[in-house]
Amino acid sequence: MSIILSLLLLQAPYALPGETAVDPYVADNRHAGAAPFEGDGMAKAFGGQDGIRRIVDRFVAINFADPVIGEIFANHDQVRLKRTLFEQFCFILNAGCSYTGRDMASAHKDLGVQKADMNRLVETLQRAMGEEGVSFQAQNRFLSKLAPMRRDVIEK
Amino acid sequence: MTYLRPLLLAALMLAALSPQQGMARPIRNGGKLLLTNGITSLEGASGGGLTPWAVIAGNETSDGIGLSAHGTLVEVKDYDYQSAGVAIGIRDRIELSYTHQDFNTNEIGAALGLGKDFAFSQDIFGAKVRLAGDLVYDRLPAIAVGVQYKNNNQGAIVRAVGAKSDKGVDYYASVSKLFLSRSILLSGTARLTKANQMGLLGFGGGKQAGHTLQFEGSAAWQLSRRIAIGGEYRRKPDNLNIAREDDWFDAFAAVAISRNVTATIAYADLGSIATVKKQRGVLFQLQTAF
């Protein structure tokens, strides 16, 4: 019993119930790809965890439906993507989460993301943040944390 | 032998257009973020209105080819100015531009003995290469170098006002960065030039015949995805004996009306031009880019 439980616990970071299994890895907040903001200003600007969850859900939905980058997402586990993106955003915005997803290079390996796709992604995120009422200045502050990740995201 | 030159040109074009990483990746045009191609400076290089930035014309990324075209009007106290031009951006790396400038002296033309509505004009061919960095994403700012070959169409007149030549080449280097965490863009340019009023009054003069080093800069604050406001400064040489030349300033607002159209309105202070002081007024530009 305890073996099964510990196995379950060990497995938890990779994939939660309802998510497709992924190859094992060690979870680490550094995989989020950026140090979190200090203080609670950015978390408030994004409406706390509730706001961040709405933004991520909307962001993922827009991306899956997008005529330009939708096909990059087409075969992805939407449930897992929403959870790990929420954790990543929440961690970076210092809204009280740990990030348990993979690092950016592993998560985007072989997706064939081009610079134009990355820019499109910025636009869909701007749309999702805008719909939640996040100010443009706070949006850009958040984007400044994500921008350096491009080198790990795009196809070399 | 007669085929050598076109063959060489074709080879160069193919080299520029072919994927640089050795992978067979199709050309993909478009894809820049709004406003990050800048507007078109008076001499045709993409950037701010008065000075180039280290950005490449067009909406393409490193995977494609972009085009832009612009028209600019400047109405200052005593003069009118128009310019229009086109530019091609290759893989967000190389920019080639052509711009034609017209500078109408209106009533001042008669006072200067040139005749009412006398217009100076020149053609400018520009090339710019982004050497390294990125305006938005990387830590390293975008760094570019460029040249502008200027050919004034009123050789006899510009020599009569004291210019040494009716042709000149400007050399410049620009460093530009959008600081996302503050929504602020800063850009600086160092230019080697012997141009009098960009070359509209010729090149070199009695006070200074050759190239001098001049500094130019822009600061912009992005208010929204579509709107940026800012100011610019351009230091100018002062080569001609008969007409003092002042540094230029402007304050501008640029609006991305759509993905392909950017409109800019600015208040510009161009100082003394062709002996007449306090030339202040409005700059208006429409740019379309693909």
Side-chain angles (χ1 to χ4, degrees), chain A residues 68 114-115 117-119 122-123 126 136-137 140-141 144 147 150 155, chain B residues 25 28 31-33 62-63 134 137 180-181 183 221-225 259:
Chain A
V68 179
Q114 293 182 285
K115 286 176 181 169
D117 300 317
M118 183 84 185
N119 287 343
V122 167
E123 290 178 354
Q126 285 173 326
F136 184 74
Q137 306 304 321
N140 268 356
R141 277 195 80 193
S144 76
R150 186 176 74 161
E155 179 183 89
Chain B
R25 196 146 80 179
R28 178 178 179 184
K32 268 202 190 104
L33 288 168
S62 53
D63 297 307
D134 187 273
Y137 287 96
L180 274 175
S181 59
S183 300
W221 187 37
Q222 204 183 352
L223 299 178
S224 76
R225 276 181 67 213
R259 201 173 281 284

PDB file of all heavy atoms in Angstrom, chain A residues 68 114-115 117-119 122-123 126 136-137 140-141 144 147 150 155, chain B residues 25 28 31-33 62-63 134 137 180-181 183 221-225 259:
ATOM      1  N   VAL A  68      -3.113  30.531 -37.022  1.00  0.00           N
ATOM      2  CA  VAL A  68      -1.677  30.532 -37.321  1.00  0.00           C
ATOM      3  C   VAL A  68      -0.932  29.490 -36.483  1.00  0.00           C
ATOM      4  O   VAL A  68      -0.170  28.682 -37.008  1.00  0.00           O
ATOM      5  CB  VAL A  68      -1.060  31.931 -37.078  1.00  0.00           C
ATOM      6  CG1 VAL A  68       0.445  31.918 -37.372  1.00  0.00           C
ATOM      7  CG2 VAL A  68      -1.764  32.968 -37.938  1.00  0.00           C
ATOM      8  N   GLN A 114       8.625  28.884 -34.803  1.00  0.00           N
ATOM      9  CA  GLN A 114       9.409  29.923 -35.462  1.00  0.00           C
ATOM     10  C   GLN A 114       9.171  31.265 -34.769  1.00  0.00           C
ATOM     11  O   GLN A 114       8.230  31.411 -33.982  1.00  0.00           O
ATOM     12  CB  GLN A 114       9.015  30.018 -36.945  1.00  0.00           C
ATOM     13  CG  GLN A 114       9.420  28.777 -37.743  1.00  0.00           C
ATOM     14  CD  GLN A 114       9.065  28.919 -39.206  1.00  0.00           C
ATOM     15  OE1 GLN A 114       7.907  28.813 -39.586  1.00  0.00           O
ATOM     16  NE2 GLN A 114      10.049  29.170 -40.037  1.00  0.00           N
ATOM     17  N   LYS A 115      10.025  32.248 -35.105  1.00  0.00           N
ATOM     18  CA  LYS A 115       9.907  33.566 -34.456  1.00  0.00           C
ATOM     19  C   LYS A 115       8.516  34.176 -34.657  1.00  0.00           C
ATOM     20  O   LYS A 115       7.967  34.796 -33.750  1.00  0.00           O
ATOM     21  CB  LYS A 115      10.985  34.510 -34.995  1.00  0.00           C
ATOM     22  CG  LYS A 115      12.363  34.178 -34.446  1.00  0.00           C
ATOM     23  CD  LYS A 115      13.443  35.054 -35.053  1.00  0.00           C
ATOM     24  CE  LYS A 115      14.800  34.653 -34.471  1.00  0.00           C
ATOM     25  NZ  LYS A 115      15.905  35.298 -35.207  1.00  0.00           N
ATOM     26  N   ASP A 117       5.775  32.580 -34.901  1.00  0.00           N
ATOM     27  CA  ASP A 117       4.843  31.886 -34.000  1.00  0.00           C
ATOM     28  C   ASP A 117       4.943  32.459 -32.587  1.00  0.00           C
ATOM     29  O   ASP A 117       3.940  32.645 -31.902  1.00  0.00           O
ATOM     30  CB  ASP A 117       5.162  30.387 -33.953  1.00  0.00           C
ATOM     31  CG  ASP A 117       5.052  29.733 -35.318  1.00  0.00           C
ATOM     32  OD1 ASP A 117       4.085  30.040 -36.036  1.00  0.00           O
ATOM     33  OD2 ASP A 117       5.942  28.936 -35.663  1.00  0.00           O
ATOM     34  N   MET A 118       6.195  32.720 -32.163  1.00  0.00           N
ATOM     35  CA  MET A 118       6.421  33.288 -30.837  1.00  0.00           C
ATOM     36  C   MET A 118       5.742  34.662 -30.735  1.00  0.00           C
ATOM     37  O   MET A 118       5.094  34.966 -29.729  1.00  0.00           O
ATOM     38  CB  MET A 118       7.932  33.411 -30.610  1.00  0.00           C
ATOM     39  CG  MET A 118       8.312  33.911 -29.237  1.00  0.00           C
ATOM     40  SD  MET A 118       8.350  32.600 -28.007  1.00  0.00           S
ATOM     41  CE  MET A 118       8.672  33.562 -26.516  1.00  0.00           C
ATOM     42  N   ASN A 119       5.881  35.469 -31.792  1.00  0.00           N
ATOM     43  CA  ASN A 119       5.230  36.787 -31.783  1.00  0.00           C
ATOM     44  C   ASN A 119       3.712  36.644 -31.757  1.00  0.00           C
ATOM     45  O   ASN A 119       3.017  37.425 -31.097  1.00  0.00           O
ATOM     46  CB  ASN A 119       5.659  37.606 -33.004  1.00  0.00           C
ATOM     47  CG  ASN A 119       7.095  38.113 -32.868  1.00  0.00           C
ATOM     48  OD1 ASN A 119       7.652  38.129 -31.774  1.00  0.00           O
ATOM     49  ND2 ASN A 119       7.693  38.518 -33.968  1.00  0.00           N
ATOM     50  N   VAL A 122       2.699  35.915 -28.298  1.00  0.00           N
ATOM     51  CA  VAL A 122       2.676  37.144 -27.494  1.00  0.00           C
ATOM     52  C   VAL A 122       1.338  37.863 -27.705  1.00  0.00           C
ATOM     53  O   VAL A 122       0.703  38.321 -26.753  1.00  0.00           O
ATOM     54  CB  VAL A 122       3.857  38.071 -27.867  1.00  0.00           C
ATOM     55  CG1 VAL A 122       3.678  39.465 -27.279  1.00  0.00           C
ATOM     56  CG2 VAL A 122       5.171  37.465 -27.392  1.00  0.00           C
ATOM     57  N   GLU A 123       0.884  37.900 -28.952  1.00  0.00           N
ATOM     58  CA  GLU A 123      -0.380  38.588 -29.246  1.00  0.00           C
ATOM     59  C   GLU A 123      -1.582  37.873 -28.622  1.00  0.00           C
ATOM     60  O   GLU A 123      -2.493  38.534 -28.114  1.00  0.00           O
ATOM     61  CB  GLU A 123      -0.565  38.719 -30.765  1.00  0.00           C
ATOM     62  CG  GLU A 123       0.403  39.707 -31.390  1.00  0.00           C
ATOM     63  CD  GLU A 123       0.274  39.811 -32.903  1.00  0.00           C
ATOM     64  OE1 GLU A 123      -0.497  39.015 -33.503  1.00  0.00           O
ATOM     65  OE2 GLU A 123       0.924  40.679 -33.481  1.00  0.00           O
ATOM     66  N   GLN A 126      -1.439  38.675 -25.009  1.00  0.00           N
ATOM     67  CA  GLN A 126      -1.888  40.057 -24.784  1.00  0.00           C
ATOM     68  C   GLN A 126      -3.416  40.124 -24.798  1.00  0.00           C
ATOM     69  O   GLN A 126      -4.020  40.831 -24.000  1.00  0.00           O
ATOM     70  CB  GLN A 126      -1.305  40.983 -25.860  1.00  0.00           C
ATOM     71  CG  GLN A 126       0.178  41.288 -25.653  1.00  0.00           C
ATOM     72  CD  GLN A 126       0.780  42.069 -26.813  1.00  0.00           C
ATOM     73  OE1 GLN A 126       0.399  41.895 -27.969  1.00  0.00           O
ATOM     74  NE2 GLN A 126       1.747  42.932 -26.512  1.00  0.00           N
ATOM     75  N   PHE A 136      -1.738  47.510 -19.626  1.00  0.00           N
ATOM     76  CA  PHE A 136      -0.717  47.242 -20.640  1.00  0.00           C
ATOM     77  C   PHE A 136       0.680  47.257 -20.037  1.00  0.00           C
ATOM     78  O   PHE A 136       1.534  46.453 -20.406  1.00  0.00           O
ATOM     79  CB  PHE A 136      -0.816  48.263 -21.778  1.00  0.00           C
ATOM     80  CG  PHE A 136       0.140  47.988 -22.897  1.00  0.00           C
ATOM     81  CD1 PHE A 136      -0.077  46.951 -23.783  1.00  0.00           C
ATOM     82  CD2 PHE A 136       1.285  48.758 -23.050  1.00  0.00           C
ATOM     83  CE1 PHE A 136       0.819  46.679 -24.812  1.00  0.00           C
ATOM     84  CE2 PHE A 136       2.189  48.495 -24.074  1.00  0.00           C
ATOM     85  CZ  PHE A 136       1.952  47.457 -24.952  1.00  0.00           C
ATOM     86  N   GLN A 137       0.918  48.164 -19.092  1.00  0.00           N
ATOM     87  CA  GLN A 137       2.252  48.247 -18.476  1.00  0.00           C
ATOM     88  C   GLN A 137       2.558  46.966 -17.692  1.00  0.00           C
ATOM     89  O   GLN A 137       3.681  46.466 -17.730  1.00  0.00           O
ATOM     90  CB  GLN A 137       2.349  49.479 -17.563  1.00  0.00           C
ATOM     91  CG  GLN A 137       1.977  50.800 -18.243  1.00  0.00           C
ATOM     92  CD  GLN A 137       2.796  51.091 -19.495  1.00  0.00           C
ATOM     93  OE1 GLN A 137       3.999  50.825 -19.523  1.00  0.00           O
ATOM     94  NE2 GLN A 137       2.169  51.616 -20.540  1.00  0.00           N
ATOM     95  N   ASN A 140       3.330  44.141 -20.128  1.00  0.00           N
ATOM     96  CA  ASN A 140       4.700  44.183 -20.642  1.00  0.00           C
ATOM     97  C   ASN A 140       5.719  43.769 -19.582  1.00  0.00           C
ATOM     98  O   ASN A 140       6.735  43.147 -19.905  1.00  0.00           O
ATOM     99  CB  ASN A 140       5.035  45.588 -21.160  1.00  0.00           C
ATOM    100  CG  ASN A 140       4.737  45.728 -22.649  1.00  0.00           C
ATOM    101  OD1 ASN A 140       4.351  44.763 -23.302  1.00  0.00           O
ATOM    102  ND2 ASN A 140       4.922  46.920 -23.167  1.00  0.00           N
ATOM    103  N   ARG A 141       5.454  44.118 -18.328  1.00  0.00           N
ATOM    104  CA  ARG A 141       6.370  43.694 -17.257  1.00  0.00           C
ATOM    105  C   ARG A 141       6.423  42.171 -17.205  1.00  0.00           C
ATOM    106  O   ARG A 141       7.485  41.580 -17.064  1.00  0.00           O
ATOM    107  CB  ARG A 141       5.909  44.229 -15.888  1.00  0.00           C
ATOM    108  CG  ARG A 141       6.334  45.642 -15.602  1.00  0.00           C
ATOM    109  CD  ARG A 141       6.175  45.966 -14.121  1.00  0.00           C
ATOM    110  NE  ARG A 141       7.287  45.432 -13.335  1.00  0.00           N
ATOM    111  CZ  ARG A 141       7.292  45.345 -12.018  1.00  0.00           C
ATOM    112  NH1 ARG A 141       6.241  45.741 -11.311  1.00  0.00           N
ATOM    113  NH2 ARG A 141       8.339  44.873 -11.381  1.00  0.00           N
ATOM    114  N   SER A 144       8.287  40.782 -20.131  1.00  0.00           N
ATOM    115  CA  SER A 144       9.744  40.936 -20.011  1.00  0.00           C
ATOM    116  C   SER A 144      10.369  39.719 -19.330  1.00  0.00           C
ATOM    117  O   SER A 144      11.545  39.422 -19.538  1.00  0.00           O
ATOM    118  CB  SER A 144      10.100  42.219 -19.251  1.00  0.00           C
ATOM    119  OG  SER A 144       9.881  42.060 -17.854  1.00  0.00           O
ATOM    120  N   ALA A 147      10.166  36.943 -22.323  1.00  0.00           N
ATOM    121  CA  ALA A 147      10.906  37.204 -23.571  1.00  0.00           C
ATOM    122  C   ALA A 147      12.218  36.431 -23.673  1.00  0.00           C
ATOM    123  O   ALA A 147      12.512  35.839 -24.722  1.00  0.00           O
ATOM    124  CB  ALA A 147      11.142  38.706 -23.741  1.00  0.00           C
ATOM    125  N   ARG A 150      12.633  32.889 -25.343  1.00  0.00           N
ATOM    126  CA  ARG A 150      12.481  32.605 -26.768  1.00  0.00           C
ATOM    127  C   ARG A 150      13.578  31.693 -27.289  1.00  0.00           C
ATOM    128  O   ARG A 150      13.331  30.808 -28.110  1.00  0.00           O
ATOM    129  CB  ARG A 150      12.453  33.903 -27.586  1.00  0.00           C
ATOM    130  CG  ARG A 150      12.150  33.627 -29.062  1.00  0.00           C
ATOM    131  CD  ARG A 150      12.005  34.870 -29.885  1.00  0.00           C
ATOM    132  NE  ARG A 150      13.293  35.505 -30.143  1.00  0.00           N
ATOM    133  CZ  ARG A 150      13.497  36.374 -31.102  1.00  0.00           C
ATOM    134  NH1 ARG A 150      12.496  36.742 -31.894  1.00  0.00           N
ATOM    135  NH2 ARG A 150      14.687  36.923 -31.282  1.00  0.00           N
ATOM    136  N   GLU A 155      12.693  26.998 -32.800  1.00  0.00           N
ATOM    137  CA  GLU A 155      13.481  25.995 -33.506  1.00  0.00           C
ATOM    138  C   GLU A 155      14.818  26.616 -33.898  1.00  0.00           C
ATOM    139  O   GLU A 155      14.855  27.708 -34.437  1.00  0.00           O
ATOM    140  CB  GLU A 155      12.701  25.612 -34.763  1.00  0.00           C
ATOM    141  CG  GLU A 155      13.330  24.612 -35.660  1.00  0.00           C
ATOM    142  CD  GLU A 155      12.457  24.427 -36.883  1.00  0.00           C
ATOM    143  OE1 GLU A 155      12.651  25.159 -37.853  1.00  0.00           O
ATOM    144  OE2 GLU A 155      11.562  23.573 -36.852  1.00  0.00           O
TER     145      GLU A 155
ATOM    146  N   ARG B  25      13.806  25.254 -45.112  1.00  0.00           N
ATOM    147  CA  ARG B  25      12.634  25.848 -44.466  1.00  0.00           C
ATOM    148  C   ARG B  25      12.033  26.838 -45.443  1.00  0.00           C
ATOM    149  O   ARG B  25      12.739  27.697 -45.962  1.00  0.00           O
ATOM    150  CB  ARG B  25      13.095  26.552 -43.190  1.00  0.00           C
ATOM    151  CG  ARG B  25      11.994  26.874 -42.250  1.00  0.00           C
ATOM    152  CD  ARG B  25      12.452  26.767 -40.811  1.00  0.00           C
ATOM    153  NE  ARG B  25      13.187  27.948 -40.355  1.00  0.00           N
ATOM    154  CZ  ARG B  25      13.658  28.061 -39.116  1.00  0.00           C
ATOM    155  NH1 ARG B  25      13.494  27.090 -38.249  1.00  0.00           N
ATOM    156  NH2 ARG B  25      14.307  29.138 -38.756  1.00  0.00           N
ATOM    157  N   ARG B  28       8.764  32.459 -45.002  1.00  0.00           N
ATOM    158  CA  ARG B  28       7.521  32.793 -44.308  1.00  0.00           C
ATOM    159  C   ARG B  28       7.533  34.286 -44.032  1.00  0.00           C
ATOM    160  O   ARG B  28       8.314  34.771 -43.212  1.00  0.00           O
ATOM    161  CB  ARG B  28       7.449  32.013 -43.002  1.00  0.00           C
ATOM    162  CG  ARG B  28       6.202  32.336 -42.194  1.00  0.00           C
ATOM    163  CD  ARG B  28       6.177  31.501 -40.945  1.00  0.00           C
ATOM    164  NE  ARG B  28       5.006  31.813 -40.142  1.00  0.00           N
ATOM    165  CZ  ARG B  28       4.790  31.278 -38.963  1.00  0.00           C
ATOM    166  NH1 ARG B  28       5.644  30.410 -38.453  1.00  0.00           N
ATOM    167  NH2 ARG B  28       3.722  31.608 -38.269  1.00  0.00           N
ATOM    168  N   GLY B  31       4.936  38.611 -39.490  1.00  0.00           N
ATOM    169  CA  GLY B  31       5.164  38.003 -38.194  1.00  0.00           C
ATOM    170  C   GLY B  31       5.825  38.879 -37.141  1.00  0.00           C
ATOM    171  O   GLY B  31       5.965  38.450 -36.009  1.00  0.00           O
ATOM    172  N   LYS B  32       6.230  40.109 -37.523  1.00  0.00           N
ATOM    173  CA  LYS B  32       6.788  41.005 -36.488  1.00  0.00           C
ATOM    174  C   LYS B  32       5.686  41.484 -35.553  1.00  0.00           C
ATOM    175  O   LYS B  32       4.525  41.594 -35.940  1.00  0.00           O
ATOM    176  CB  LYS B  32       7.421  42.239 -37.152  1.00  0.00           C
ATOM    177  CG  LYS B  32       8.906  42.088 -37.449  1.00  0.00           C
ATOM    178  CD  LYS B  32       9.609  43.436 -37.599  1.00  0.00           C
ATOM    179  CE  LYS B  32      11.016  43.245 -38.119  1.00  0.00           C
ATOM    180  NZ  LYS B  32      11.150  43.591 -39.534  1.00  0.00           N
ATOM    181  N   LEU B  33       6.072  41.821 -34.337  1.00  0.00           N
ATOM    182  CA  LEU B  33       5.129  42.439 -33.406  1.00  0.00           C
ATOM    183  C   LEU B  33       4.803  43.857 -33.891  1.00  0.00           C
ATOM    184  O   LEU B  33       5.648  44.528 -34.484  1.00  0.00           O
ATOM    185  CB  LEU B  33       5.738  42.510 -32.006  1.00  0.00           C
ATOM    186  CG  LEU B  33       5.854  41.170 -31.270  1.00  0.00           C
ATOM    187  CD1 LEU B  33       6.734  41.326 -30.037  1.00  0.00           C
ATOM    188  CD2 LEU B  33       4.478  40.654 -30.867  1.00  0.00           C
ATOM    189  N   SER B  62      13.243  36.559 -39.238  1.00  0.00           N
ATOM    190  CA  SER B  62      14.423  35.994 -39.896  1.00  0.00           C
ATOM    191  C   SER B  62      14.049  34.898 -40.890  1.00  0.00           C
ATOM    192  O   SER B  62      14.918  34.373 -41.579  1.00  0.00           O
ATOM    193  CB  SER B  62      15.388  35.436 -38.845  1.00  0.00           C
ATOM    194  OG  SER B  62      14.708  34.539 -37.999  1.00  0.00           O
ATOM    195  N   ASP B  63      12.763  34.564 -40.985  1.00  0.00           N
ATOM    196  CA  ASP B  63      12.320  33.533 -41.930  1.00  0.00           C
ATOM    197  C   ASP B  63      11.753  34.101 -43.228  1.00  0.00           C
ATOM    198  O   ASP B  63      11.311  33.331 -44.081  1.00  0.00           O
ATOM    199  CB  ASP B  63      11.254  32.642 -41.273  1.00  0.00           C
ATOM    200  CG  ASP B  63      11.816  31.886 -40.082  1.00  0.00           C
ATOM    201  OD1 ASP B  63      12.850  31.226 -40.248  1.00  0.00           O
ATOM    202  OD2 ASP B  63      11.240  31.984 -38.987  1.00  0.00           O
ATOM    203  N   ASP B 134      18.662  41.904 -30.572  1.00  0.00           N
ATOM    204  CA  ASP B 134      17.245  41.907 -30.913  1.00  0.00           C
ATOM    205  C   ASP B 134      16.577  43.048 -30.160  1.00  0.00           C
ATOM    206  O   ASP B 134      16.899  43.302 -29.003  1.00  0.00           O
ATOM    207  CB  ASP B 134      16.624  40.565 -30.504  1.00  0.00           C
ATOM    208  CG  ASP B 134      15.204  40.421 -30.986  1.00  0.00           C
ATOM    209  OD1 ASP B 134      14.285  40.872 -30.268  1.00  0.00           O
ATOM    210  OD2 ASP B 134      15.012  39.880 -32.080  1.00  0.00           O
ATOM    211  N   TYR B 137      13.559  40.698 -27.695  1.00  0.00           N
ATOM    212  CA  TYR B 137      13.677  39.460 -26.934  1.00  0.00           C
ATOM    213  C   TYR B 137      14.992  39.271 -26.179  1.00  0.00           C
ATOM    214  O   TYR B 137      14.987  38.863 -25.034  1.00  0.00           O
ATOM    215  CB  TYR B 137      13.461  38.257 -27.853  1.00  0.00           C
ATOM    216  CG  TYR B 137      12.020  38.084 -28.252  1.00  0.00           C
ATOM    217  CD1 TYR B 137      11.528  38.571 -29.446  1.00  0.00           C
ATOM    218  CD2 TYR B 137      11.134  37.430 -27.393  1.00  0.00           C
ATOM    219  CE1 TYR B 137      10.196  38.399 -29.808  1.00  0.00           C
ATOM    220  CE2 TYR B 137       9.801  37.255 -27.741  1.00  0.00           C
ATOM    221  CZ  TYR B 137       9.343  37.741 -28.950  1.00  0.00           C
ATOM    222  OH  TYR B 137       8.039  37.568 -29.294  1.00  0.00           O
ATOM    223  N   LEU B 180      10.961  46.010 -22.150  1.00  0.00           N
ATOM    224  CA  LEU B 180       9.569  45.607 -21.919  1.00  0.00           C
ATOM    225  C   LEU B 180       9.122  45.886 -20.487  1.00  0.00           C
ATOM    226  O   LEU B 180       7.967  46.261 -20.256  1.00  0.00           O
ATOM    227  CB  LEU B 180       9.416  44.113 -22.194  1.00  0.00           C
ATOM    228  CG  LEU B 180       9.154  43.693 -23.636  1.00  0.00           C
ATOM    229  CD1 LEU B 180       9.156  42.182 -23.731  1.00  0.00           C
ATOM    230  CD2 LEU B 180       7.823  44.258 -24.127  1.00  0.00           C
ATOM    231  N   SER B 181      10.038  45.711 -19.528  1.00  0.00           N
ATOM    232  CA  SER B 181       9.631  45.857 -18.131  1.00  0.00           C
ATOM    233  C   SER B 181       9.182  47.288 -17.839  1.00  0.00           C
ATOM    234  O   SER B 181       8.474  47.531 -16.866  1.00  0.00           O
ATOM    235  CB  SER B 181      10.768  45.461 -17.202  1.00  0.00           C
ATOM    236  OG  SER B 181      11.895  46.267 -17.442  1.00  0.00           O
ATOM    237  N   SER B 183       8.189  49.303 -20.721  1.00  0.00           N
ATOM    238  CA  SER B 183       7.503  49.690 -21.965  1.00  0.00           C
ATOM    239  C   SER B 183       8.185  50.874 -22.649  1.00  0.00           C
ATOM    240  O   SER B 183       7.534  51.694 -23.290  1.00  0.00           O
ATOM    241  CB  SER B 183       6.031  50.032 -21.710  1.00  0.00           C
ATOM    242  OG  SER B 183       5.352  48.925 -21.181  1.00  0.00           O
ATOM    243  N   TRP B 221       7.699  55.696 -25.426  1.00  0.00           N
ATOM    244  CA  TRP B 221       6.956  54.977 -24.396  1.00  0.00           C
ATOM    245  C   TRP B 221       5.741  54.352 -25.056  1.00  0.00           C
ATOM    246  O   TRP B 221       4.956  55.051 -25.703  1.00  0.00           O
ATOM    247  CB  TRP B 221       6.543  55.944 -23.277  1.00  0.00           C
ATOM    248  CG  TRP B 221       5.910  55.266 -22.101  1.00  0.00           C
ATOM    249  CD1 TRP B 221       6.255  54.062 -21.585  1.00  0.00           C
ATOM    250  CD2 TRP B 221       4.820  55.751 -21.317  1.00  0.00           C
ATOM    251  NE1 TRP B 221       5.459  53.770 -20.505  1.00  0.00           N
ATOM    252  CE2 TRP B 221       4.574  54.786 -20.317  1.00  0.00           C
ATOM    253  CE3 TRP B 221       4.046  56.914 -21.349  1.00  0.00           C
ATOM    254  CZ2 TRP B 221       3.568  54.933 -19.369  1.00  0.00           C
ATOM    255  CZ3 TRP B 221       3.048  57.075 -20.397  1.00  0.00           C
ATOM    256  CH2 TRP B 221       2.821  56.082 -19.418  1.00  0.00           C
ATOM    257  N   GLN B 222       5.618  53.023 -24.923  1.00  0.00           N
ATOM    258  CA  GLN B 222       4.503  52.335 -25.549  1.00  0.00           C
ATOM    259  C   GLN B 222       3.301  52.362 -24.610  1.00  0.00           C
ATOM    260  O   GLN B 222       3.349  51.831 -23.493  1.00  0.00           O
ATOM    261  CB  GLN B 222       4.907  50.896 -25.877  1.00  0.00           C
ATOM    262  CG  GLN B 222       4.082  50.301 -26.985  1.00  0.00           C
ATOM    263  CD  GLN B 222       4.415  48.844 -27.269  1.00  0.00           C
ATOM    264  OE1 GLN B 222       5.374  48.294 -26.729  1.00  0.00           O
ATOM    265  NE2 GLN B 222       3.612  48.222 -28.122  1.00  0.00           N
ATOM    266  N   LEU B 223       2.237  53.016 -25.060  1.00  0.00           N
ATOM    267  CA  LEU B 223       1.045  53.169 -24.218  1.00  0.00           C
ATOM    268  C   LEU B 223       0.116  51.970 -24.325  1.00  0.00           C
ATOM    269  O   LEU B 223      -0.612  51.643 -23.398  1.00  0.00           O
ATOM    270  CB  LEU B 223       0.254  54.421 -24.628  1.00  0.00           C
ATOM    271  CG  LEU B 223       0.978  55.759 -24.499  1.00  0.00           C
ATOM    272  CD1 LEU B 223       0.065  56.881 -24.981  1.00  0.00           C
ATOM    273  CD2 LEU B 223       1.394  55.994 -23.069  1.00  0.00           C
ATOM    274  N   SER B 224       0.113  51.366 -25.504  1.00  0.00           N
ATOM    275  CA  SER B 224      -0.732  50.189 -25.746  1.00  0.00           C
ATOM    276  C   SER B 224      -0.087  49.428 -26.888  1.00  0.00           C
ATOM    277  O   SER B 224       0.937  49.850 -27.418  1.00  0.00           O
ATOM    278  CB  SER B 224      -2.162  50.603 -26.111  1.00  0.00           C
ATOM    279  OG  SER B 224      -2.200  51.069 -27.451  1.00  0.00           O
ATOM    280  N   ARG B 225      -0.693  48.309 -27.261  1.00  0.00           N
ATOM    281  CA  ARG B 225      -0.140  47.550 -28.390  1.00  0.00           C
ATOM    282  C   ARG B 225       0.013  48.442 -29.616  1.00  0.00           C
ATOM    283  O   ARG B 225       0.909  48.260 -30.417  1.00  0.00           O
ATOM    284  CB  ARG B 225      -1.094  46.410 -28.772  1.00  0.00           C
ATOM    285  CG  ARG B 225      -0.932  45.142 -27.955  1.00  0.00           C
ATOM    286  CD  ARG B 225      -1.914  44.102 -28.472  1.00  0.00           C
ATOM    287  NE  ARG B 225      -1.552  43.679 -29.816  1.00  0.00           N
ATOM    288  CZ  ARG B 225      -2.424  43.329 -30.762  1.00  0.00           C
ATOM    289  NH1 ARG B 225      -3.710  43.363 -30.519  1.00  0.00           N
ATOM    290  NH2 ARG B 225      -2.011  42.936 -31.931  1.00  0.00           N
ATOM    291  N   ARG B 259      -2.263  46.027 -38.896  1.00  0.00           N
ATOM    292  CA  ARG B 259      -0.996  45.301 -38.948  1.00  0.00           C
ATOM    293  C   ARG B 259      -0.084  45.864 -40.032  1.00  0.00           C
ATOM    294  O   ARG B 259       1.134  45.731 -39.960  1.00  0.00           O
ATOM    295  CB  ARG B 259      -1.287  43.817 -39.232  1.00  0.00           C
ATOM    296  CG  ARG B 259      -0.195  42.877 -38.836  1.00  0.00           C
ATOM    297  CD  ARG B 259      -0.639  41.449 -38.994  1.00  0.00           C
ATOM    298  NE  ARG B 259      -1.481  40.989 -37.921  1.00  0.00           N
ATOM    299  CZ  ARG B 259      -1.036  40.659 -36.704  1.00  0.00           C
ATOM    300  NH1 ARG B 259       0.231  40.763 -36.424  1.00  0.00           N
ATOM    301  NH2 ARG B 259      -1.869  40.248 -35.778  1.00  0.00           N
TER     302      ARG B 259
END
